[in-house]
Amino acid sequence: MRKTLLALAVAFFVSPLTAMPADHVAQVLAANQAATAGNHWEAKDRLELHYAYSGQGLTGRTAFTQDLQRGRFVDRWEVGPSHTTTGFDGKKAWEVESSGTATPQEGGDVRQLAVNEAYRLQNLWWRSDRGGATITDAGCKSDGGKPYDVLIVAPKEGKPFEVWFDATTHLMARTIEANSTLTIRTDYADFAPTDGVQLAHSVVIDDGGGQANLQRMTLSSATFSTGGDDAAFALPKTDLHDFELAPGTTQAKVPFLLANNHVYVQASFNGGKPLTVIVDTGGHNILVPDSASALGIKVQGAQTASGGGDSVQQSGLAQVQSIRVGGATLKNQTISVLQFSNAAEGLDEQGMIGYEFLARFITRFDYGSHELTFIDKKHFDPSDAGTPVPFRLYHQFPEVLGSYDGVPGRFGIDTGARTVLSLTRPFSERHHLREHEKNGTEALTGWGVGGSEYAYVFHGKDLQLGDVTVKSFLAELSLDKGGAGGVEAFPNNVGGGLLKRFVVTLDYDHQLMYLKPIAGKVDDLDTFDRSGMWLNVADEGFGIVSVSSGSPAAQAGLAAGDVIETVDGKAVSSIHLYDLRRRLRDEPPGTKVALTVERNGHPREVTLVLRDLI
């Protein structure tokens, strides 16, 4: 999944303060209230803030409407070609993403972050009961020679974040908060009085992408008013007309290639030649830079992107007139421009079709017939679609409430993942899953936006998704410390390796997924690599990226950095990487594979003997 657009939390507002205990936390908060002139706020109801924006190679403006008494807000971002809005009505978080769809947000950490923002904008920490939050003293810290008093605040129904108060002025200078896969530092400076209180006129957001990716906002206006309008904070209604099926049709069927458990189709951007793209329910509409350039599409900015793997990448934004997949077309869209690692898949991936396209239709993945179908919503008959499974949205990612081995959890539905079931590191550690799984192996198991992904792979227990139970499948416990597998916010991941048991139909409007079992045998099901190595495409062959300790590859003397030039006498240039990976999974233990391997310019012959690793 791509990076999350950030909702700014501006915190300068008050609720009545009564006497607090004479500890350091109370002293810090009382000093902050006095410095901010909090006692001027009791009669104020609403605040409108407008900023000029620059950062990540883009310019624009942002606006924040805040209910100071009830913690409701609407945050609007008009940055480059992208226009997004996030909101909180006091109970529910919602989002309008750049293509215009408005969705309630119950998945991941979106509501927790909205609760945090509401807490800060009301300054509930000034109350004697601290607004129900747990606040702990993190001590005094120094940065750039300046001293700060640091507190850790955990609002009720929110998530912990750090807040730094300038030890000299006592004004809030910084927050540090985990947001999805990123850690966001927000600095507040250039305070000046407005209606008797201090407001920061400079806000700088650092999402970990480096100095070039800092987002700067300069306050242009601040307006107070009284009264509140419930409708102003409610989820907007949208009526989109930017998509179509071929005239006279109610659905469009498109053949797909299933490789590495990924779905690939041909898509045309701006009427250009068809390009090979991956179809990903965990992603967005994307082009790679070379394809955007060849089509004459202008790319703006460089935003921080993250997903599977520990690293972050940079993605640009672009405007396209049309995206066509078979007889289905989406028009006038802002897309991301992001470099994919084609080395990891062995296909020339030129882009991605994601949520914005899939949600315009009822979208069906028939893994049995290898067909993708886009269905007119008005002509969808669910009677034969299979068992309905409710889902909610984590931004645009479908998230199902279910259980693994009887343990309740959240499970993302991700056609862009090769794995069967990947359980996140926080989930597996919290429930001590590794302690009960002795017959597995550690390995590099995938490649995401953030690079390599490592996991402990084993035969899993029962997975429950709504009324659907899946048994006897391959599972893995993520070993990643960052990225989607390493953070609490992300759900466990249900990938193509499990979904290919079904005809999968997605109805985003009603937040329902239908699962209908495939008739007959499913190929290449729940097998794991029997070689013990991960391969990527290299300039002169297949490059070995990782070798598991004690594996057949290690016993054959193979090591990371080696390049495979031939397999059973065939040059690798005549072999698809995904076909070789499948062979190394599916051929029986004891199979001998003859390799020619180059190391430091010296070729040698190696015999690899496949063996079960789990």
Side-chain angles (χ1 to χ4, degrees):
M1 294 175 67
R2 71 165 192 175
K3 80 160 185 82
T4 304
L5 287 175
L6 307 178
L8 176 66
V10 183
F12 306 114
F13 317 110
V14 68
S15 295
L17 178 73
T18 58
M20 301 181 76
D23 59 15
H24 189 243
V25 169
Q27 292 169 4
V28 169
L29 294 174
N32 171 249
Q33 183 184 17
T36 311
N39 56 350
H40 286 270
W41 284 91
E42 294 182 28
K44 299 188 186 307
D45 292 328
R46 184 163 165 171
L47 174 62
E48 295 274 352
L49 297 166
H50 293 263
Y51 296 83
Y53 174 98
S54 66
Q56 301 186 332
L58 301 165
T59 59
R61 58 186 180 178
T62 59
F64 304 88
T65 303
Q66 300 174 332
D67 181 341
L68 309 182
Q69 300 300 321
R70 297 172 60 182
R72 302 179 298 180
F73 61 81
V74 176
D75 300 343
R76 298 177 178 85
W77 299 72
E78 298 180 9
V79 177
S82 176
H83 293 193
T84 60
T85 305
T86 57
F88 183 57
D89 66 5
K91 294 182 179 180
K92 296 181 179 179
W94 53 265
E95 179 175 295
V96 181
E97 49 83 34
S98 193
S99 78
T101 62
T103 54
Q105 292 290 312
E106 298 178 277
D109 61 352
V110 180
R111 188 180 184 278
Q112 289 177 301
L113 292 168
V115 168
N116 283 8
E117 183 172 350
Y119 183 92
R120 290 190 292 261
L121 72 86
Q122 295 178 93
N123 274 334
L124 294 180
W125 47 41
W126 290 343
R127 290 183 176 178
S128 58
D129 65 354
R130 297 174 186 166
T134 300
I135 303 180
T136 56
D137 189 353
C140 298
K141 298 184 181 181
S142 177
D143 185 18
K146 294 185 64 174
Y148 297 90
D149 295 310
V150 182
L151 305 180
I152 298 175
V153 182
K156 185 180 179 181
E157 300 184 14
K159 61 190 299 186
F161 63 92
E162 285 187 23
V163 57
W164 293 40
F165 296 98
D166 187 311
T168 303
T169 67
H170 307 297
L171 296 169
M172 189 180 76
R174 178 178 302 167
T175 60
I176 299 176
E177 183 175 55
N179 182 322
S180 188
T181 58
L182 303 175
T183 298
I184 310 301
R185 168 179 152 174
T186 305
D187 289 338
Y188 304 90
D190 298 336
F191 283 83
T194 300
D195 261 14
V197 299
Q198 297 288 334
L199 296 181
H201 284 234
S202 172
V203 181
V204 179
I205 301 171
D206 182 351
D207 61 12
Q211 288 293 311
N213 273 57
L214 294 180
Q215 302 173 71
R216 304 178 187 277
M217 296 192 295
T218 303
L219 187 66
S220 55
S221 69
T223 305
F224 298 95
S225 61
T226 59
D229 179 2
D230 289 347
F233 301 99
L235 173 69
K237 294 182 179 180
T238 57
D239 184 19
L240 302 175
H241 301 279
D242 55 1
F243 60 97
E244 63 186 17
L245 294 169
T249 66
T250 59
Q251 63 179 29
K253 288 194 174 186
V254 183
F256 68 74
L257 168 68
L258 186 66
N260 299 325
N261 289 332
H262 293 153
V263 172
Y264 294 97
V265 299
Q266 298 296 299
S268 173
F269 292 77
N270 286 356
K273 68 177 183 179
L275 305 173
T276 299
V277 299
I278 187 170
V279 183
D280 186 358
T281 56
H284 295 263
N285 296 333
I286 297 173
L287 270 176
V288 301
D290 284 350
S291 293
S293 177
L295 290 166
I297 294 172
K298 180 183 177 182
V299 182
Q300 302 178 48
Q303 299 181 307
T304 303
S306 64
D310 291 345
S311 302
V312 296
Q313 302 293 331
Q314 302 301 313
S315 68
L317 295 174
Q319 198 76 20
V320 297
Q321 283 72 54
S322 66
I323 307 171
R324 181 174 57 81
V325 181
T329 302
L330 183 60
K331 298 177 287 186
N332 301 320
Q333 294 294 302
T334 298
I335 65 169
S336 295
V337 179
L338 175 67
Q339 184 59 58
F340 290 172
S341 174
N342 288 326
E345 302 303 335
L347 287 98
D348 187 20
E349 290 183 25
Q350 296 298 300
M352 178 184 291
I353 297 299
Y355 167 83
E356 299 85 356
F357 202 107
L358 306 179
R360 295 308 198 273
F361 308 94
I362 302 295
T363 300
R364 174 169 290 159
F365 297 79
D366 189 334
Y367 285 92
S369 64
H370 289 193
E371 282 186 327
L372 182 66
T373 306
F374 300 106
I375 305 170
D376 186 325
K377 295 174 182 178
K378 297 188 296 293
H379 293 84
F380 172 57
D381 180 4
S383 61
D384 192 40
T387 302
V389 177
F391 66 83
R392 58 190 193 178
L393 290 171
Y394 178 18
H395 298 296
Q396 286 73 53
F397 189 25
E399 181 183 283
V400 173
L401 295 178
S403 66
Y404 169 76
D405 193 22
V407 179
R410 300 176 292 118
F411 300 88
I413 306 302
D414 192 356
T415 62
R418 73 177 64 242
T419 52
V420 183
L421 173 66
S422 180
L423 301 168
T424 68
R425 185 182 186 124
F427 180 84
S428 62
E429 289 180 348
R430 183 166 61 254
H431 299 293
H432 309 286
L433 299 183
R434 179 67 180 271
E435 298 171 14
H436 305 293
E437 301 296 345
K438 306 299 183 184
N439 298 316
T441 187
E442 292 187 4
L444 197 166
T445 59
W447 208 277
V449 172
S452 55
E453 301 170 283
Y454 288 86
Y456 178 80
V457 187
F458 61 101
H459 290 296
K461 307 295 194 302
D462 290 0
L463 173 68
Q464 191 77 27
L465 299 173
D467 292 330
V468 176
T469 302
V470 183
K471 297 177 178 290
S472 303
F473 56 86
L474 204 64
E476 60 183 58
L477 309 178
S478 176
L479 300 177
D480 294 337
K481 295 181 180 179
V487 298
E488 185 70 44
F490 256 79
N492 303 303
N493 216 41
V494 175
L498 187 141
L499 297 172
K500 69 182 182 181
R501 292 165 165 77
F502 301 98
V503 177
V504 181
T505 304
L506 294 170
D507 178 350
Y508 284 89
D509 286 359
H510 298 95
Q511 295 186 9
L512 286 173
M513 171 179 66
Y514 296 86
L515 295 178
K516 183 177 181 179
I518 297 294
K521 181 179 180 294
V522 180
D523 290 335
D524 187 34
L525 192 65
D526 295 312
T527 57
F528 184 65
D529 168 67
R530 292 185 165 110
S531 71
M533 60 183 176
W534 178 273
L535 304 175
N536 278 353
V537 174
D539 289 340
E540 302 299 329
F542 295 150
I544 300 178
V545 177
S546 175
V547 173
S548 297
S549 177
S551 68
Q555 292 174 345
L558 299 173
D562 290 349
V563 177
I564 299 173
E565 296 179 331
T566 70
V567 179
D568 288 335
K570 293 183 179 180
V572 297
S573 59
S574 65
I575 303 171
H576 289 300
L577 176 58
Y578 56 84
D579 285 334
L580 177 58
R581 282 191 180 138
R582 179 167 176 153
R583 180 182 173 190
L584 297 178
R585 289 194 304 270
D586 289 355
E587 294 202 358
T591 299
K592 294 181 180 180
V593 184
L595 306 174
T596 303
V597 180
E598 182 269 332
R599 180 184 295 176
N600 298 326
H602 302 288
R604 62 193 179 97
E605 305 299 319
V606 172
T607 299
L608 179 68
V609 183
L610 302 184
R611 186 182 81 244
D612 281 330
L613 299 178
I614 58 174

